[in-house]
């Protein structure tokens, strides 16, 4: 069996670095697309789509919170029923 060392020996340092590359063509393309959206009013339609997405997200979170509220109540009810059943068996 191998034992751990009493003193921790120094290790060489390693870095997890991911270099980033600049793509001039992509920057130009994104700038042209942004200018076209501003010129032709596509931005307004995008806001409507995002508003609909927000509504869906809110309704989903409401449903999720309702389910989260029900779960502890069911667990407590099961525990209370279990305790009463145990007491009934003990004092029978």
């Amino acid at each position: 069996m191998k034992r751990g060392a009493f003193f921790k020996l120094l290790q060489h340092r390693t870095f997890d670095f991911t270099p980033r590359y600049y793509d001039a063509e992509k920057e130009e393309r994104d700038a042209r697309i942004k200018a076209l959206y501003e010129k032709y009013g596509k931005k307004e339609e995008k806001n409507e789509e995002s508003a609909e997405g927000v509504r869906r997200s809110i309704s989903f979170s409401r449903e999720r919170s309702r389910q989260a509220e029900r779960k502890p109540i069911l667990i407590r009810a099961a525990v209370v029923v279990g305790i009463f059943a145990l007491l009934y068996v003990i004092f029978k």
Side-chain angles (χ1 to χ4, degrees):
M1 292 193 314
K2 184 178 179 182
R3 290 187 188 173
F6 187 71
F7 295 104
K8 185 175 181 180
L9 300 175
L10 296 176
Q11 299 286 328
H12 67 282
R13 292 185 179 184
T14 59
F15 298 97
D16 186 21
F17 176 73
T18 306
R20 291 177 262 165
Y21 298 100
Y22 176 72
D23 188 4
E25 292 177 4
K26 182 180 179 191
E27 292 289 326
E28 292 173 8
R29 185 173 50 244
D30 290 341
R32 287 193 308 262
I33 290 172
K34 183 178 178 183
L36 288 173
Y37 273 118
E38 290 175 1
K39 183 178 180 180
Y40 292 110
K42 294 284 185 178
K43 195 172 188 180
E44 295 169 2
E45 292 176 16
K46 190 175 183 182
N47 285 340
E48 291 174 7
E49 292 174 4
S50 64
E52 181 62 30
V54 169
R55 283 189 208 108
R56 278 192 237 126
S57 175
I58 290 171
S59 66
F60 175 73
S61 64
R62 283 182 188 164
E63 182 63 30
R64 187 173 178 190
S65 67
R66 287 181 191 146
Q67 290 175 354
E69 290 172 1
R70 290 182 205 145
K71 190 173 182 179
I73 293 171
L74 293 176
I75 292 172
R76 288 181 189 135
V79 169
V80 169
V81 168
I83 290 172
F84 281 124
L86 185 63
L87 289 175
Y88 178 75
V89 169
I90 291 174
F91 292 115
K92 182 177 171 187

